[in-house]
Amino acid sequence: MTGKGPKIVNITLDGILKEDVATTATLKCKPQAKFDIPAIEWKPPVEKSASAANLLKNGSFDDPAMKEWVSRKRAKKVIHEVKNGKLLLSGDVNNKYRKNLTITQNVPVKLEQGKRYRLSVESLARIPSLEGKSATINIRAIDENGKSIRYYGFKIDLAQTGVRKKVYFYTPHPKAVDHQIYIDWMNFEDNDILELDNLELIPEK
C-alpha cells in the first residue's frame, strides 16, 4: 500500500474460531508505556557467628566440642553442654564438687597495657530456687610467676526474666602478663539451667 492511512494487515486466528478464517484488523501504533523496575538483590539469611573482634575462641559456642574451654571440676553427670549454639550450665547434687564448678579459657592474645577491653555475655536463667546459688564470669589477671593478681568481672543475676546482657570494662593490671576467662557457678541443682551465649572480650577503639 502506498496510501497515507493506517496499514491493513491480515491476521490468522488459530485455535479461537471453530474454523480457520482470515480476517482483517486495523492496527494503530501507540506509544508504549515504560516502567522503571528496580533490581532486587537477594541476600541469604545471616547465620549466627562470633564477632570478628572477639579475642575469645568459640565464645558463641557454635562448636559443641568446646575444645578451647577447660572444665576444672568434673561431676558424675553432665554439668555443662552445648545445645543450639548455647552453653547450658547445670549441677549435680550428688557430687562433692557441686558447690563450685568452673570452665576456663586462656585468653589467646596478650592484652595491651593502658587499653580498655569489653567483657560481655548474654544469659538466660531458669532456676526455681535461688538460695545459695550464684554464677560469675571473670577475667583472671596472672603475674609473671603464674599467680593470680585479681579477678575482674561480674555476677549474673539468676533471678532475671528473659535474656539479659552483662558488660564489664577491663584495663589490664600493670603487673599482668597473662589472662584467663573464668565461668563459675555454685550450688546448682539437677534441674537448674543457666544459658550463656556470645561471650566476648573485645578491645575498645
Side-chain angles (χ1 to χ4, degrees), residues 48-49 58-65 81-88 122 126 195-198:
K48 189 189 86 166
S49 62
N58 197 24
S60 59
F61 306 111
D62 292 324
D63 181 5
E81 60 181 333
V82 172
K83 284 187 177 180
N84 300 320
K86 294 178 175 58
L87 174 61
L88 308 184
E122 296 171 7
R126 299 197 299 271
E195 294 185 7
L196 300 181
D197 196 7
N198 295 323

Side-chain angles (χ1 to χ4, degrees), residues 66 69-75 79-80 87 89-91 95 97-106 134-138 140 151 180-188 196:
M66 290 195 59
W69 297 91
V70 177
S71 178
R72 299 293 179 181
K73 301 286 178 64
R74 299 190 180 279
I79 53 173
H80 58 76
L87 174 61
L89 306 179
S90 185
N95 190 271
Y97 293 127
R98 77 180 183 91
K99 289 186 177 181
N100 190 8
L101 300 168
T102 303
I103 299 174
T104 68
Q105 180 181 147
N106 295 327
S134 65
T136 59
I137 296 181
N138 287 294
R140 179 194 176 209
Y151 290 80
Q180 288 180 318
I181 298 297
Y182 268 64
I183 303 173
D184 285 287
W185 66 107
M186 181 179 291
N187 289 330
F188 277 31
L196 300 181

Side-chain angles (χ1 to χ4, degrees), residues 125-173:
R126 299 197 299 271
I127 301 177
S129 176
L130 301 176
E131 185 176 358
K133 300 171 185 178
S134 65
T136 59
I137 296 181
N138 287 294
I139 301 173
R140 179 194 176 209
I142 306 169
D143 66 16
E144 61 183 3
N145 297 314
K147 295 183 179 180
S148 300
I149 299 173
R150 184 179 166 184
Y151 290 80
Y152 303 83
F154 49 75
K155 186 176 182 179
I156 295 175
D157 181 9
L158 300 180
Q160 66 189 3
T161 56
V163 177
R164 300 292 180 88
K165 185 172 184 175
K166 292 282 291 186
V167 176
Y168 178 85
F169 293 97
Y170 170 69
T171 300
H173 189 282

Side-chain angles (χ1 to χ4, degrees), residues 97-128:
Y97 293 127
R98 77 180 183 91
K99 289 186 177 181
N100 190 8
L101 300 168
T102 303
I103 299 174
T104 68
Q105 180 181 147
N106 295 327
V107 177
V109 300
K110 296 290 184 182
L111 302 187
E112 297 179 27
Q113 294 291 334
K115 195 165 187 176
R116 193 166 80 151
Y117 297 84
R118 185 178 80 243
L119 175 68
S120 63
V121 73
E122 296 171 7
S123 63
L124 173 64
R126 299 197 299 271
I127 301 177

